[in-house]
Amino acid sequence: MTRVAYLVSRYPAVSHTFVLDEVLRLRARGLDVVTASINAPDHGDARLTETERDEERATFYVKGAGLRGALAAHARTLLDRPGRWLAGLGHALARGGTDPARLAKSLAWFAEAVMVGDWMRRVGAQHLHVHFANPASVVASMARRVFPITFSLTVHGSPPYHDEPGTWFPGTAAVADFVCCISHYSRSQVLLRMPPGRWSRVEVTPMGLDLDRFRPGPPAGGTTDPRPLEVLCVGRLARVKGHDLLLQALDRLREEGRELRLTLVGDGPERARLEGLAAAWGLADRVRFAGAVNRDGIREHYARADVVVLPSLSEGVPVVLMEAMAMERACVAPRLAGIPELIREGR
């Protein structure tokens, strides 16, 4: 049986529990899956579920291997396949070009690629799959050039189109044996960045959901319930998620005399600014910042919510909406990107 390696930028990650769910489901179906992560988990041990702790113990962490691990991996690879190692280094230098910052980044990715490929050789993995068109996918594509492995990629939403000349996405996708897109919209955007001769490698692979974990429950409230309407938003506190729009809407509804409470589940670089904005608009008593929540705790938030709102400015096919609808919660979302493939007006 082919042993498949999954490489993720951060694993387990509180905002990407679907990757963990996918790995677990594939193993349950008999596939031999091992995991690697560039970075350590994004939430402390106390907030990890028991399943996440098991995954953390079994995962190879690239940066965790340190300088000694990097030197050992490169020494073994240079001795075993000097020609491919030199070709990989040449590719990294060419990709870096003459810009010092870009060159340093490219060489760092090459260093990590050799560590990933060496780890795959040691554990006997032949295929490498990556979630997200991000630096981890670049690392995987570089490993593909050095080691006798196959490589595939799942693209969520839109790949990074606005990179400088020589953008890395087309080069990464070019060496992938196949590319999975989670929506037809995403596939169309990937095809724009690939020559027609490679379009057959790009397929649509819809996201799934564990319906044993997300089951319908009783309504949180109703039209005769005297309590305020409970609004829930789940997502990273990042500008792309459009939380400003949600706070503006809450402010307008308050002026209309509507009683609502908003819970924001998630953390990120925008938290302090959003907390200040809520306070400045007099919404502090109506907005709760719950922080990041693990894969077990999120169901309690859905159960308490009347409405789940996603105000994003850019999305793929949000798992948040899938989870909310599986629990029969009303959803409000923008009509953009892959969302119309999942949620429609009045349905």
Side-chain angles (χ1 to χ4, degrees):
M1 178 187 297
T2 299
R3 170 168 274 190
V4 176
Y6 263 54
L7 175 66
V8 189
S9 179
R10 193 178 298 277
Y11 180 85
V14 68
S15 60
H16 298 142
T17 57
F18 55 83
V19 178
L20 171 58
D21 290 338
E22 182 175 310
V23 168
L24 296 177
R25 186 56 62 91
L26 289 173
R27 288 176 182 158
R29 291 192 172 196
L31 197 66
D32 187 2
V33 181
V34 292
T35 54
S37 176
I38 302 296
N39 302 288
D42 60 354
H43 44 316
D45 187 69
R47 288 196 295 163
L48 293 174
T49 65
E50 200 57 46
T51 300
E52 289 171 330
R53 289 193 185 94
D54 290 341
E55 286 299 300
E56 182 185 25
R57 286 189 286 267
T59 296
F60 169 63
Y61 290 97
V62 178
K63 290 183 178 178
L67 179 60
R68 179 178 296 182
L71 292 175
H74 279 263
R76 285 190 292 264
T77 305
L78 190 56
L79 288 173
D80 183 56
R81 49 186 62 252
R84 299 310 306 162
W85 185 91
L86 289 171
L89 176 62
H91 171 76
L93 291 171
R95 173 167 280 188
T98 58
D99 178 77
R102 189 181 179 92
L103 178 61
K105 186 179 295 185
S106 186
L107 290 174
W109 287 338
F110 173 67
E112 293 172 346
V114 171
M115 295 172 73
V116 170
D118 177 71
W119 164 76
M120 289 182 64
R121 180 188 59 79
R122 288 185 282 113
V123 300
Q126 298 90 39
H127 182 80
L128 182 60
H129 186 73
V130 183
H131 269 275
F132 300 105
N134 61 11
S137 68
V138 182
V139 170
S141 70
M142 288 185 170
R144 173 76 166 81
R145 295 174 183 274
V146 178
F147 296 88
I149 61 174
T150 51
F151 156 57
S152 56
L153 166 67
T154 292
V155 176
H156 296 256
S158 302
Y161 300 142
H162 305 295
D163 199 1
E164 59 268 32
T167 176
W168 49 261
F169 177 75
T172 298
V175 299
D177 292 273
F178 61 92
V179 179
C180 304
C181 300
I182 65 169
S183 70
H184 292 279
Y185 167 80
S186 180
R187 183 175 187 268
S188 72
Q189 300 307 297
V190 170
L191 295 184
L192 282 173
R193 269 66 194 178
M194 294 182 70
R198 297 183 184 273
W199 284 4
S200 62
R201 300 183 183 188
V202 186
E203 62 182 49
V204 175
T205 309
M207 297 290 291
L209 193 68
D210 185 354
L211 295 180
D212 289 331
R213 292 182 57 233
F214 296 94
R215 295 180 176 179
T223 57
T224 61
D225 195 326
R227 66 177 181 77
L229 192 74
E230 294 288 347
V231 180
L232 174 66
C233 179
V234 181
R236 289 186 65 248
L237 301 185
R239 196 171 292 272
V240 69
K241 295 298 184 179
H243 291 98
D244 289 62
L245 294 174
L246 186 53
L247 292 180
Q248 290 174 22
L250 184 63
D251 184 46
R252 182 180 300 178
L253 290 168
R254 181 196 56 179
E255 292 179 351
E256 295 177 0
R258 308 292 183 90
E259 289 296 325
L260 298 93
R261 283 195 302 242
L262 170 64
T263 298
L264 297 175
V265 171
D267 215 337
E270 290 286 288
R271 176 163 182 167
R273 188 186 68 81
L274 291 170
E275 287 177 331
L277 191 61
W281 288 354
L283 298 172
D285 61 334
R286 296 169 182 253
V287 181
R288 177 192 172 208
F289 289 82
V293 176
N294 65 30
R295 67 194 295 268
D296 289 342
I298 190 61
R299 287 173 293 183
E300 299 176 7
H301 286 279
Y302 287 130
R304 289 195 297 266
D306 297 301
V307 180
V308 177
V309 181
L310 190 72
S312 294
L313 304 175
S314 178
E315 278 290 347
V317 177
V319 176
V320 167
L321 294 179
M322 297 169 64
E323 294 171 346
M325 288 192 289
M327 296 187 68
E328 296 187 350
R329 291 313 184 241
C331 294
V332 178
R335 190 182 288 109
L336 56 80
I339 292 177
E341 298 177 36
L342 179 66
I343 182 173
R344 293 190 176 93
E345 180 74 20
R347 294 179 59 186

